[in-house]
Protein backbone atom coordinates (compact mmCIF):
# COMPACT_ATOMS: atom_id res chain seq x y z
CA UNK A 1 0.00 0.00 0.00
CA UNK A 2 2.72 2.41 1.13
CA UNK A 3 4.77 1.81 -2.04
CA UNK A 4 1.93 2.86 -4.34
CA UNK A 5 1.18 5.98 -2.27
CA UNK A 6 4.84 6.99 -2.37
CA UNK A 7 4.88 6.36 -6.13
CA UNK A 8 1.81 8.56 -6.54
CA UNK A 9 3.29 11.38 -4.46
CA UNK A 10 6.54 11.26 -6.42
CA UNK A 11 4.67 11.33 -9.75
CA UNK A 12 2.40 14.11 -8.44
CA UNK A 13 5.38 16.23 -7.41
CA UNK A 14 6.94 15.72 -10.86
CA UNK A 15 3.70 16.87 -12.47
CA UNK A 16 3.76 19.95 -10.21
CA UNK A 17 7.28 20.74 -11.48
CA UNK A 18 6.11 20.04 -15.05
CA UNK A 19 3.16 22.44 -14.62
CA UNK A 20 5.43 25.20 -13.31
CA UNK A 21 7.21 25.12 -16.70
CA UNK A 22 4.02 25.45 -18.78
CA UNK A 23 2.13 28.63 -19.67
CA UNK A 24 -0.64 29.00 -17.01
CA UNK A 25 -3.33 29.19 -19.72
CA UNK A 26 -2.32 25.73 -20.98
CA UNK A 27 -2.80 24.07 -17.60
CA UNK A 28 -6.09 25.96 -17.06
CA UNK A 29 -7.40 25.19 -20.57
CA UNK A 30 -10.66 23.21 -20.81
CA UNK A 31 -10.06 19.69 -22.16
CA UNK A 32 -12.08 16.50 -22.76
CA UNK A 33 -12.51 13.95 -19.98
CA UNK A 34 -11.53 13.82 -16.33
CA UNK A 35 -12.07 17.08 -14.47
CA UNK A 36 -11.56 18.90 -17.80
CA UNK A 37 -8.26 20.65 -17.10
CA UNK A 38 -4.80 19.76 -15.80
CA UNK A 39 -5.23 22.15 -12.87
CA UNK A 40 -8.66 20.76 -11.96
CA UNK A 41 -7.40 17.16 -12.18
CA UNK A 42 -4.57 17.96 -9.75
CA UNK A 43 -6.90 19.81 -7.39
CA UNK A 44 -9.35 16.88 -7.53
CA UNK A 45 -6.60 14.34 -6.73
CA UNK A 46 -5.64 16.23 -3.56
CA UNK A 47 -9.27 17.02 -2.62
CA UNK A 48 -10.37 13.37 -2.90
CA UNK A 49 -7.30 12.09 -1.04
CA UNK A 50 -7.74 14.49 1.88
CA UNK A 51 -11.53 13.97 2.01
CA UNK A 52 -11.24 10.18 2.37
CA UNK A 53 -8.34 10.45 4.83
CA UNK A 54 -10.45 12.84 6.93
CA UNK A 55 -13.29 10.27 6.86
CA UNK A 56 -10.81 7.60 8.06
CA UNK A 57 -9.61 9.95 10.81
CA UNK A 58 -13.26 10.69 11.70
CA UNK A 59 -12.67 14.41 11.27
CA UNK A 60 -15.33 16.89 10.13
CA UNK A 61 -16.03 16.99 6.40
CA UNK A 62 -13.47 18.60 4.19
CA UNK A 63 -15.01 20.50 1.27
CA UNK A 64 -12.46 22.74 -0.44
CA UNK A 65 -13.58 24.80 -3.44
CA UNK A 66 -11.52 24.86 -6.63
CA UNK A 67 -12.02 28.65 -6.77
CA UNK A 68 -9.91 28.94 -3.59
CA UNK A 69 -6.96 27.20 -5.34
CA UNK A 70 -6.77 29.10 -8.63
CA UNK A 71 -3.11 28.43 -9.54
CA UNK A 72 -0.63 25.57 -9.58
CA UNK A 73 1.20 27.24 -6.68
CA UNK A 74 -2.00 27.11 -4.59
CA UNK A 75 -2.49 23.42 -5.38
CA UNK A 76 1.14 22.59 -4.52
CA UNK A 77 0.69 24.25 -1.12
CA UNK A 78 -2.65 22.45 -0.67
CA UNK A 79 -0.99 19.08 -1.39
CA UNK A 80 1.95 19.80 0.92
CA UNK A 81 -0.16 21.13 3.78
CA UNK A 82 -2.17 17.92 4.22
CA UNK A 83 0.60 15.40 3.44
CA UNK A 84 1.46 14.75 7.14
CA UNK A 85 -2.15 13.75 7.92
CA UNK A 86 -2.32 11.49 4.85
CA UNK A 87 1.02 9.93 5.84
CA UNK A 88 -0.25 9.36 9.38
CA UNK A 89 -2.86 6.98 7.93
CA UNK A 90 -0.78 5.40 5.14
CA UNK A 91 2.35 4.79 7.22
CA UNK A 92 0.36 3.24 10.08
CA UNK A 93 -1.74 1.00 7.92
CA UNK A 94 -1.99 -2.57 9.27
CA UNK A 95 -3.97 -5.77 8.87
CA UNK A 96 -6.27 -4.50 11.64
CA UNK A 97 -6.84 -1.18 9.82
CA UNK A 98 -7.49 -3.14 6.58
CA UNK A 99 -10.88 -4.33 7.88
CA UNK A 100 -11.85 -1.22 9.86
CA UNK A 101 -15.21 0.15 8.63
CA UNK A 102 -15.37 3.78 7.53
CA UNK A 103 -18.53 5.71 6.74
CA UNK A 104 -18.02 8.98 4.89
CA UNK A 105 -20.80 11.55 5.22
CA UNK A 106 -21.13 11.90 1.41
CA UNK A 107 -21.54 8.18 0.81
CA UNK A 108 -24.46 5.85 1.53
CA UNK A 109 -22.06 2.92 1.89
CA UNK A 110 -19.58 1.86 4.54
CA UNK A 111 -16.21 0.74 3.18
CA UNK A 112 -13.17 -0.79 4.83
CA UNK A 113 -10.09 1.36 5.34
CA UNK A 114 -8.21 -1.01 3.01
CA UNK A 115 -10.71 -0.47 0.20
CA UNK A 116 -10.57 3.31 0.69
CA UNK A 117 -6.77 3.38 0.43
CA UNK A 118 -6.88 1.18 -2.71
CA UNK A 119 -9.52 3.56 -4.09
CA UNK A 120 -7.19 6.52 -3.53
CA UNK A 121 -4.28 4.74 -5.23
CA UNK A 122 -6.35 3.87 -8.32
CA UNK A 123 -8.04 7.28 -8.35
CA UNK A 124 -4.78 9.23 -8.58
CA UNK A 125 -3.16 6.98 -11.21
CA UNK A 126 -6.32 7.17 -13.34
CA UNK A 127 -6.40 10.98 -13.37
CA UNK A 128 -2.65 11.18 -13.99
CA UNK A 129 -3.12 8.87 -17.00
CA UNK A 130 -5.64 11.35 -18.39
CA UNK A 131 -3.10 14.16 -18.01
CA UNK A 132 -0.53 12.20 -20.00
CA UNK A 133 -2.88 12.31 -23.02
CA UNK A 134 -3.49 16.03 -22.58
CA UNK A 135 0.29 16.62 -22.40
CA UNK A 136 0.77 14.81 -25.74
CA UNK A 137 -2.05 16.89 -27.23
CA UNK A 138 -0.03 19.95 -26.13
CA UNK A 139 3.01 18.41 -27.89
CA UNK A 140 4.72 18.09 -24.52
CA UNK A 141 6.40 15.00 -23.02
CA UNK A 142 4.40 13.82 -19.96
CA UNK A 143 5.97 12.74 -16.67
CA UNK A 144 6.96 9.06 -16.75
CA UNK A 145 4.42 6.76 -15.11
CA UNK A 146 6.80 3.82 -14.66
CA UNK A 147 6.74 2.31 -11.18
CA UNK A 148 9.75 -0.01 -11.50
CA UNK A 149 12.02 2.64 -12.95
CA UNK A 150 11.55 4.59 -9.70
CA UNK A 151 12.70 1.59 -7.59
CA UNK A 152 16.30 1.42 -8.84
CA UNK B 1 -2.33 -6.50 -4.07
CA UNK B 2 -5.03 -9.01 -5.08
CA UNK B 3 -7.80 -6.39 -4.69
CA UNK B 4 -6.19 -4.01 -7.19
CA UNK B 5 -5.55 -6.81 -9.72
CA UNK B 6 -9.18 -7.90 -9.47
CA UNK B 7 -10.28 -4.28 -9.87
CA UNK B 8 -8.11 -3.97 -12.98
CA UNK B 9 -9.46 -7.18 -14.51
CA UNK B 10 -13.05 -6.11 -13.87
CA UNK B 11 -12.44 -2.67 -15.41
CA UNK B 12 -10.57 -4.29 -18.34
CA UNK B 13 -13.47 -6.67 -19.03
CA UNK B 14 -15.89 -3.72 -18.97
CA UNK B 15 -13.71 -1.89 -21.49
CA UNK B 16 -13.74 -5.04 -23.67
CA UNK B 17 -17.58 -4.97 -23.59
CA UNK B 18 -17.50 -1.22 -24.27
CA UNK B 19 -15.21 -1.77 -27.29
CA UNK B 20 -17.50 -4.45 -28.72
CA UNK B 21 -20.22 -1.77 -28.97
CA UNK B 22 -18.03 0.77 -30.83
CA UNK B 23 -17.35 0.92 -34.59
CA UNK B 24 -14.03 -0.97 -35.11
CA UNK B 25 -12.49 2.04 -36.88
CA UNK B 26 -13.02 4.15 -33.73
CA UNK B 27 -11.09 1.77 -31.49
CA UNK B 28 -8.34 1.40 -34.13
CA UNK B 29 -8.10 5.17 -34.78
CA UNK B 30 -4.74 6.81 -34.10
CA UNK B 31 -4.91 9.12 -31.07
CA UNK B 32 -2.51 11.25 -28.99
CA UNK B 33 -0.63 9.70 -26.08
CA UNK B 34 -0.31 6.21 -24.67
CA UNK B 35 0.05 3.51 -27.33
CA UNK B 36 -1.91 5.79 -29.70
CA UNK B 37 -5.14 3.77 -30.03
CA UNK B 38 -7.67 2.11 -27.75
CA UNK B 39 -6.89 -1.29 -29.29
CA UNK B 40 -3.12 -0.83 -28.89
CA UNK B 41 -3.52 0.33 -25.27
CA UNK B 42 -5.50 -2.82 -24.43
CA UNK B 43 -3.02 -5.06 -26.26
CA UNK B 44 -0.14 -3.35 -24.43
CA UNK B 45 -1.81 -3.83 -21.01
CA UNK B 46 -2.10 -7.60 -21.58
CA UNK B 47 1.34 -7.88 -23.22
CA UNK B 48 3.12 -6.10 -20.34
CA UNK B 49 1.20 -8.05 -17.68
CA UNK B 50 1.99 -11.44 -19.24
CA UNK B 51 5.63 -10.50 -19.96
CA UNK B 52 6.37 -9.59 -16.34
CA UNK B 53 4.43 -12.58 -14.99
CA UNK B 54 6.51 -14.82 -17.28
CA UNK B 55 9.67 -13.20 -15.89
CA UNK B 56 8.43 -13.93 -12.35
CA UNK B 57 7.67 -17.55 -13.35
CA UNK B 58 11.13 -17.76 -14.99
CA UNK B 59 9.59 -18.80 -18.31
CA UNK B 60 11.07 -18.00 -21.72
CA UNK B 61 10.47 -14.49 -23.01
CA UNK B 62 7.03 -13.63 -24.23
CA UNK B 63 7.07 -11.27 -27.22
CA UNK B 64 3.66 -11.10 -28.89
CA UNK B 65 3.22 -8.81 -31.91
CA UNK B 66 0.29 -6.43 -32.13
CA UNK B 67 -0.19 -7.51 -35.76
CA UNK B 68 -1.16 -10.99 -34.52
CA UNK B 69 -4.02 -9.48 -32.45
CA UNK B 70 -5.72 -7.20 -34.98
CA UNK B 71 -9.21 -6.99 -33.43
CA UNK B 72 -10.83 -6.54 -30.01
CA UNK B 73 -11.96 -10.18 -30.18
CA UNK B 74 -8.31 -11.28 -30.55
CA UNK B 75 -7.26 -9.17 -27.57
CA UNK B 76 -10.11 -10.50 -25.40
CA UNK B 77 -8.99 -14.07 -26.17
CA UNK B 78 -5.35 -13.08 -25.49
CA UNK B 79 -6.33 -11.64 -22.08
CA UNK B 80 -8.44 -14.68 -21.17
CA UNK B 81 -5.87 -17.25 -22.31
CA UNK B 82 -3.15 -16.05 -19.93
CA UNK B 83 -5.37 -15.13 -16.94
CA UNK B 84 -4.80 -18.45 -15.10
CA UNK B 85 -0.99 -17.97 -15.16
CA UNK B 86 -1.31 -14.37 -13.97
CA UNK B 87 -3.69 -15.49 -11.21
CA UNK B 88 -1.22 -18.22 -10.17
CA UNK B 89 1.24 -15.47 -9.23
CA UNK B 90 -1.21 -12.87 -7.86
CA UNK B 91 -3.27 -15.29 -5.75
CA UNK B 92 -0.16 -16.88 -4.23
CA UNK B 93 1.60 -13.62 -3.44
CA UNK B 94 3.09 -13.57 0.07
CA UNK B 95 5.53 -11.64 2.22
CA UNK B 96 8.25 -14.05 1.05
CA UNK B 97 7.40 -13.42 -2.62
CA UNK B 98 7.40 -9.65 -1.91
CA UNK B 99 11.20 -9.62 -1.59
CA UNK B 100 12.02 -12.28 -4.20
CA UNK B 101 14.38 -10.83 -6.85
CA UNK B 102 13.32 -11.06 -10.49
CA UNK B 103 15.51 -10.27 -13.49
CA UNK B 104 13.67 -9.85 -16.78
CA UNK B 105 15.72 -10.39 -19.94
CA UNK B 106 14.71 -6.99 -21.36
CA UNK B 107 15.76 -5.05 -18.26
CA UNK B 108 19.20 -4.21 -16.91
CA UNK B 109 17.81 -4.08 -13.37
CA UNK B 110 16.66 -6.70 -10.91
CA UNK B 111 13.38 -5.86 -9.16
CA UNK B 112 11.49 -7.55 -6.35
CA UNK B 113 8.34 -9.47 -7.16
CA UNK B 114 6.41 -6.97 -5.02
CA UNK B 115 7.66 -4.03 -7.05
CA UNK B 116 6.81 -5.81 -10.32
CA UNK B 117 3.23 -6.48 -9.21
CA UNK B 118 2.81 -2.85 -8.09
CA UNK B 119 4.25 -1.80 -11.47
CA UNK B 120 1.58 -3.88 -13.25
CA UNK B 121 -1.22 -2.40 -11.14
CA UNK B 122 -0.12 1.19 -11.84
CA UNK B 123 0.62 0.42 -15.50
CA UNK B 124 -2.89 -0.80 -16.28
CA UNK B 125 -4.70 1.99 -14.38
CA UNK B 126 -2.54 4.60 -16.15
CA UNK B 127 -3.37 3.32 -19.65
CA UNK B 128 -7.07 2.93 -18.79
CA UNK B 129 -7.07 6.57 -17.63
CA UNK B 130 -5.78 7.56 -21.07
CA UNK B 131 -8.63 5.66 -22.70
CA UNK B 132 -11.19 7.55 -20.61
CA UNK B 133 -10.05 10.80 -22.27
CA UNK B 134 -10.21 9.25 -25.75
CA UNK B 135 -13.75 8.00 -24.99
CA UNK B 136 -14.85 11.54 -24.08
CA UNK B 137 -13.21 12.83 -27.27
CA UNK B 138 -15.44 10.30 -29.11
CA UNK B 139 -18.44 11.74 -27.19
CA UNK B 140 -18.87 8.37 -25.45
CA UNK B 141 -19.17 7.71 -21.71
CA UNK B 142 -16.09 5.80 -20.48
CA UNK B 143 -16.19 2.82 -18.12
CA UNK B 144 -16.27 3.95 -14.47
CA UNK B 145 -12.87 3.84 -12.77
CA UNK B 146 -14.22 3.89 -9.20
CA UNK B 147 -12.69 1.27 -6.94
CA UNK B 148 -15.00 1.67 -3.93
CA UNK B 149 -18.19 1.52 -5.99
CA UNK B 150 -17.15 -1.99 -7.06
CA UNK B 151 -16.81 -3.13 -3.41
CA UNK B 152 -20.49 -2.80 -2.40
Amino acid sequence: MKGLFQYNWQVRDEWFDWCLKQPPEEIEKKRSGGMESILKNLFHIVDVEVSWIYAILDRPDFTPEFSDYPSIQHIIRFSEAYRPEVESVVFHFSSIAEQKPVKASWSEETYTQGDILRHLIAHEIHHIGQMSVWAREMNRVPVSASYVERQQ
Side-chain angles (χ1 to χ4, degrees), chain A:
Chain A
M1 204 74 101
K2 191 176 144 192
L4 282 163
F5 269 92
Q6 288 177 314
Y7 158 82
N8 268 342
W9 295 333
Q10 191 180 8
V11 172
R12 190 193 305 174
D13 287 345
E14 289 174 27
W15 274 101
F16 285 154
D17 288 343
W18 186 96
C19 285
L20 289 169
K21 293 177 194 136
Q22 312 304 321
E25 60 274 20
E26 280 292 325
I27 59 170
E28 290 161 16
K29 189 178 166 184
K30 189 172 180 195
R31 299 176 192 276
S32 289
M35 305 312 287
E36 301 192 332
S37 82
I38 291 172
L39 214 53
K40 285 184 178 171
N41 261 35
L42 287 167
F43 169 77
H44 178 66
I45 286 168
V46 184
D47 175 12
V48 168
E49 182 177 82
V50 179
S51 296
W52 279 108
I53 293 293
Y54 266 44
I56 288 172
L57 293 169
D58 207 17
R59 298 231 181 120
D61 250 18
F62 180 84
T63 51
E65 293 292 328
F66 177 69
S67 54
D68 293 330
Y69 299 88
S71 73
I72 188 65
Q73 289 84 356
H74 283 86
I75 296 170
I76 292 170
R77 285 197 293 274
F78 178 27
S79 175
E80 287 174 353
Y82 291 88
R83 181 70 49 88
E85 284 162 299
V86 181
E87 286 180 348
S88 76
V89 171
V90 172
F91 292 168
H92 294 101
F93 186 71
S94 64
S95 54
I96 295 163
E98 167 67 47
Q99 293 301 329
K100 208 180 145 197
V102 178
K103 171 78 179 64
S105 64
W106 65 85
S107 167
E108 293 289 306
E109 303 289 330
T110 296
Y111 301 109
T112 65
Q113 205 180 114
D115 280 341
I116 291 170
L117 294 191
R118 284 184 286 279
H119 179 72
L120 292 178
I121 289 166
H123 183 262
E124 177 150 359
I125 302 170
H126 182 78
H127 285 295
I128 292 286
Q130 295 171 332
M131 287 163 47
S132 76
V133 165
W134 294 336
R136 291 290 180 193
E137 289 173 348
M138 291 162 64
N139 292 316
R140 303 288 201 286
V141 178
V143 170
S144 166
S146 175
Y147 183 93
V148 286
E149 283 169 19
R150 295 165 188 278
Q151 311 306 316
Q152 290 160 14

